[in-house]
Amino acid sequence: MDEIPFLDVGAGYRELQGELDAAVLGSLRSGWYILGAEVAAFEREFAVHVEAAHAVGVGNGLDALVLSLKACGIGAGDEVIVPSHTFIATWLAVSYAGATPVPVEVDPATGTLDPALIEAAITPRTKAVIPVHLYGQPADLDPILALARRHGLRVIEDAAQAHGARYKGRRIGAHGDLACWSFYPGKNLGAFGDGGAVTTNDPRLAERLCVLRNYGSSVKYVHDVKGLNSRLDPVQAAVLRVKLRRLDEWNAHRRRLAAIYCGCLAGIPGLELPQVPAYAEPAWHLFVVRTPQRDALQAALQAQGIQTLIHYPVPPHLQGAYAEMGLNAGAFPVAETLASTVLSLPIGPHLAPEQAETAAAAIRNFFAKA
C-alpha cells in the first residue's frame, strides 16, 4: 500500500513551482532583503484577506504573540488568561513578555477556551485574554469580547491555525484587539521557513508593532522603546503572496476532506468526531478525532502506512517548562483528557479524497475488530 502522508508540505511548491520560483527570484534580484516593498505588499494583501485594517509582518508566530502583548503594555506583574489546552507557544509568549499565564479550562466539546469559566480567573492583575482558534476552529468570541470589555481587558487572538476561518460569517483577523498568525510551513498559509504577522483594526497598535519589531525604532538609530528584531523576510513574503491567492481554494479542499471523514466515520462507538458550533466555519487546519483507544488506533494506522499526529500529547501545565507553577495531574482534567485521546488524521490541500476514504475505512475496520 502507498503511504498516506499526514501532510505533503512539498506539494504546494510542486503545484505552484513556476509562480513561486519567479516570486523568489524577483525578491532576490530586488537587492532589498529586510522589510521593503515585498513585505509591505503582503501586509496589505493579507489584511484585506482577513478583513482587518492593518497587518504587520514579524519573524514567527511566537513573536507575533509576544509583540502583541508588549504593544498592549503587558509585562511584569500582569496576568494573562490562556487556554489549558493549546500549543505551548501561547503560554510561552506570556512568559517572554514578563507576565504570568493563568490557565482556564477549555470547552470539552470544542477544545477552545470556555467563556463561562473566564470570569472566575480574573484578578486585579489580569490584563488580557488569549483565545486560541484551535485546529482552525474559531473560539466563541462574542462572550469573550463582552467579558473583556466589562473588565477592561485586551483580547489577543491566537490565530496561528485559523487562516481563512470565519466566526459568524466574518473572517478571523480583527474581532479582538489583535490577531496573531504563524506562517510555519505546515500551516494553511505556510512559508518556506518561519514567518508570522499580527492583524488589527487599531492604527495605534499597528504603528507600535512596527516599532517593536524593528529594535524599537521608527527612525534609523533612534530607539524610543526596547524592541526586538522580528521582521518578516521579503523572500518569505514573496512566497506567501503567491500562496495567499490559492488559500481559499486550498481551504475548500480541506472542507471536502473533512466532510468525507465526517460522513465515513459517523456513528462509530468509541470515536468522537469534531463538533462544529453554528457560529464557526473552520479552516480545518487539523481534523482531530478522539478515542480512549488513541495509541492503539495510531499504531494500527501506522502499520498500514497512514500517518497521523497527536496535537498535543502533554498539556502545558504538565510540561517541565511550567513546573514552577506546581500544577499536578488532575488540575485541568479536560485538557488532560484531550491530551490522552486526540488524534489528528491526514488532511491538507493536496490529499486526494480517495486517500481520506482509505484512512477512514482503516479506522472503521479497527473499531469493527475492536
Side-chain angles (χ1 to χ4, degrees):
M1 172 184 282
D2 292 335
E3 284 205 351
I4 297 177
F6 177 76
L7 176 67
D8 186 351
V9 178
Y13 173 68
R14 294 191 294 273
E15 178 187 344
L16 304 175
Q17 182 174 351
E19 294 177 68
L20 289 166
D21 287 354
V24 170
L25 188 58
S27 179
L28 294 175
R29 285 174 171 167
S30 74
W32 196 283
Y33 305 129
I34 299 291
L35 296 178
E38 199 71 59
V39 172
F42 171 71
E43 289 172 336
R44 289 192 299 271
E45 292 162 10
F46 188 63
V48 169
H49 188 86
V50 303
E51 302 175 11
H54 308 277
V56 178
V58 298
N60 54 67
L62 176 57
D63 284 359
L65 288 163
V66 174
L67 289 167
S68 292
L69 289 159
K70 287 181 174 293
C72 292
I74 295 169
D78 297 331
E79 295 177 349
V80 177
I81 291 172
V82 295
S84 59
H85 179 64
T86 181
F87 182 53
I88 199 170
T90 313
W91 290 40
L92 290 174
V94 178
S95 300
Y96 286 147
T100 300
V102 176
V104 166
E105 194 73 282
V106 294
D107 182 338
T110 64
T112 58
L113 190 61
D114 190 337
L117 302 179
I118 294 174
E119 192 154 27
I122 295 174
T123 74
R125 297 198 298 169
T126 307
K127 294 296 186 292
V129 181
I130 304 182
V132 176
H133 304 310
L134 191 71
Y135 310 147
Q137 176 158 288
D140 193 359
L141 289 171
D142 279 354
I144 295 173
L145 290 165
L147 181 66
R149 291 188 195 102
R150 288 202 304 273
H151 290 272
L153 308 179
R154 294 286 197 177
V155 175
I156 300 171
E157 302 170 63
D158 185 337
Q161 302 178 0
H163 311 77
R166 294 178 185 271
Y167 177 77
K168 295 187 176 179
R170 178 180 158 201
R171 286 196 197 266
I172 293 298
H175 290 79
D177 295 285
L178 300 148
C180 302
W181 305 88
S182 167
F183 303 126
Y184 181 80
K187 304 299 185 184
N188 290 39
L189 180 63
F192 290 154
D194 274 320
V198 182
T199 54
T200 181
N201 282 338
D202 189 325
R204 292 169 298 177
L205 286 175
E207 183 179 1
R208 205 172 303 163
L209 285 161
C210 287
V211 170
L212 285 167
R213 73 174 174 183
N214 191 37
Y215 297 101
S217 171
S218 56
V219 177
K220 195 167 186 177
Y221 300 131
V222 177
H223 304 271
D224 299 316
V225 296
K226 298 180 181 70
L228 302 176
N229 173 20
S230 182
R231 302 169 295 205
L232 180 64
D233 187 280
V235 174
Q236 301 297 353
V239 168
L240 291 166
R241 292 183 70 195
V242 172
K243 288 188 168 187
L244 182 60
R245 296 194 287 268
R246 296 299 200 285
L247 181 57
D248 285 343
E249 175 188 335
W250 286 352
N251 279 350
H253 185 75
R254 287 176 179 269
R255 287 195 297 273
R256 287 192 288 271
L257 296 173
I260 288 171
Y261 280 135
C262 288
C264 293
L265 299 176
I268 298 177
L271 183 71
E272 185 176 347
L273 301 181
Q275 297 186 37
V276 180
Y279 61 72
E281 295 177 42
W284 293 111
H285 173 61
L286 299 172
F287 189 94
V288 181
V289 298
R290 306 179 195 175
T291 175
Q293 302 179 68
R294 189 266 311 281
D295 294 342
L297 174 60
Q298 184 178 41
L301 294 175
Q302 183 62 45
Q304 298 173 69
I306 301 169
Q307 297 178 7
T308 60
L309 291 176
I310 299 171
H311 299 85
Y312 304 96
V314 182
H317 71 279
L318 297 180
Q319 299 279 3
Y322 285 98
E324 77 277 3
M325 296 180 76
L327 295 170
N328 298 319
F332 293 94
V334 176
E336 292 167 33
T337 298
L338 289 170
S340 65
T341 59
V342 293
L343 186 66
S344 301
L345 305 184
I347 196 168
H350 300 93
L351 187 77
E354 295 78 13
Q355 292 176 303
E357 290 168 356
T358 298
I363 294 169
R364 272 204 165 273
N365 187 52
F366 171 85
F367 282 97
K369 291 180 177 179

